[in-house]
Amino acid sequence: YLRINGFNNQNRIKGREYRLYLPLYNTVRWLEVGVLTNAAFNALPIRQEKPIIVYGTSIAQGACASRPGMAWTAILERKLDQPLINLGFSGNGRLEKELIDLMAEINAKLFVLDCLPNLTSPDMEPEETKTRIIASVTLLRQKRSGVPILLVEHGGYTDGSINNKRQEYYTGVNKLMKQAFRELKSNGIKNIYLLTKEEINLGNDCMVDGTHPNDLGMVRYAKAYYKKIHQVFH
């Protein structure tokens, strides 16, 4: 978050606030921002609100968005006007205990677990997927008892209607997610929520390669999250 102050023709100070989004995948080695010589350029104070923590896959990281600000996490942060920490890892959102432990160190407003797209591989046994979901929620609840947890289903593949195997991948993990969600609630775990594939509502025009959302898909994701988060916090 940056503020630039300059002077208009009447020499009256005016300011603008900007958000600078760094590349989603490329590593930044250096960065320069140019302003007029008579302008002041200052970083805004770090916001003090509790952040929303998103643990996910390349979809959360922002793969295939046309520019960094079009990742659904970036869109959602703007819509909510809330700090959001993006823990999206391309190919590696697998609900690993080490990441859950790190998440639990943060005094968060909301924990989001959106890892099912990386838990569909043949080497991941169905029961292991379900076990990881339950273990992740249980650990977060033990360490951050009052923080809401949002579980997210697989958004699906646009080629699922013509590729039975691909359809089985996402329907299978979504079934496991529903089972885990019911078990957690029946075991007395409170303040947990579920965002379903139907609520995400991705259509045939929403993906680049059948897997990763384009800008339209990113907007759909952000809208679904926005609506669900408002339900969580009433």
Side-chain angles (χ1 to χ4, degrees), residues 1-220:
Y1 297 89
L2 311 167
R3 177 181 288 122
I4 297 178
N5 293 329
F7 295 89
N8 61 16
N9 293 333
Q10 287 75 40
N11 290 328
R12 289 179 298 186
I13 294 177
K14 62 179 180 179
R16 291 183 180 178
E17 294 183 7
Y18 297 88
R19 240 174 262 203
L20 179 63
Y21 293 101
L22 301 181
L24 298 168
Y25 277 74
N26 295 331
T27 300
V28 177
R29 298 190 181 275
W30 58 268
L31 173 68
E32 293 180 348
V33 178
V35 298
L36 297 174
T37 55
N38 64 342
F41 181 82
N42 305 294
L44 293 177
I46 296 174
R47 297 181 64 164
Q48 297 303 308
E49 301 102 311
K50 295 178 182 179
I52 295 169
I53 312 297
V54 176
Y55 177 23
T57 67
S58 56
I59 295 171
Q61 184 176 344
C64 298
S66 64
R67 59 190 189 278
M70 285 305 296
W72 71 255
T73 43
I75 299 171
L76 180 64
E77 183 180 31
R78 291 195 297 272
K79 286 173 69 69
L80 291 172
D81 192 25
Q82 291 280 327
L84 185 149
I85 296 176
N86 183 344
L87 298 178
F89 302 100
S90 182
N92 287 283
R94 297 172 69 83
L95 292 180
E96 293 167 313
K97 181 180 181 298
E98 293 79 3
L99 262 296
I100 301 298
D101 282 332
L102 288 172
M103 289 174 64
E105 293 181 8
I106 303 172
N107 186 17
K109 181 182 181 71
L110 171 70
F111 291 118
V112 176
L113 301 179
D114 189 353
C115 291
L116 289 194
N118 283 165
L119 294 171
T120 60
S121 59
D123 61 336
M124 179 69 71
E125 293 293 330
E127 282 306 310
E128 175 64 17
T129 297
K130 184 177 173 182
T131 297
R132 291 193 185 196
I133 296 169
I134 293 175
S136 297
V137 173
T138 302
L139 182 56
L140 287 174
R141 183 53 71 241
Q142 288 173 350
K143 294 190 174 184
R144 294 288 179 181
S145 59
V147 181
I149 300 170
L150 176 58
L151 301 174
V152 184
E153 290 189 357
H154 195 307
Y157 301 129
T158 54
D159 58 354
S161 60
I162 59 174
N163 187 325
N164 291 338
K165 197 66 178 175
R166 295 264 287 171
Q167 188 178 59
E168 289 173 9
Y169 282 152
Y170 65 79
T171 56
V173 292
N174 285 347
K175 182 178 179 180
L176 292 169
M177 177 64 86
K178 286 185 173 70
Q179 291 175 0
F181 183 71
R182 288 194 296 267
E183 286 187 25
L184 286 162
K185 290 182 74 70
S186 66
N187 289 335
I189 302 293
K190 300 184 183 302
N191 214 9
I192 60 172
Y193 304 85
L194 181 65
L195 180 62
T196 66
K197 174 184 179 296
E198 291 71 28
E199 289 173 309
I200 297 170
N201 190 32
L202 298 180
N204 288 335
D205 296 329
C206 290
M207 293 188 186
V208 171
D209 53 2
T211 300
H212 297 93
N214 54 25
D215 285 358
L216 175 60
M218 292 291 183
V219 170
R220 292 273 184 94

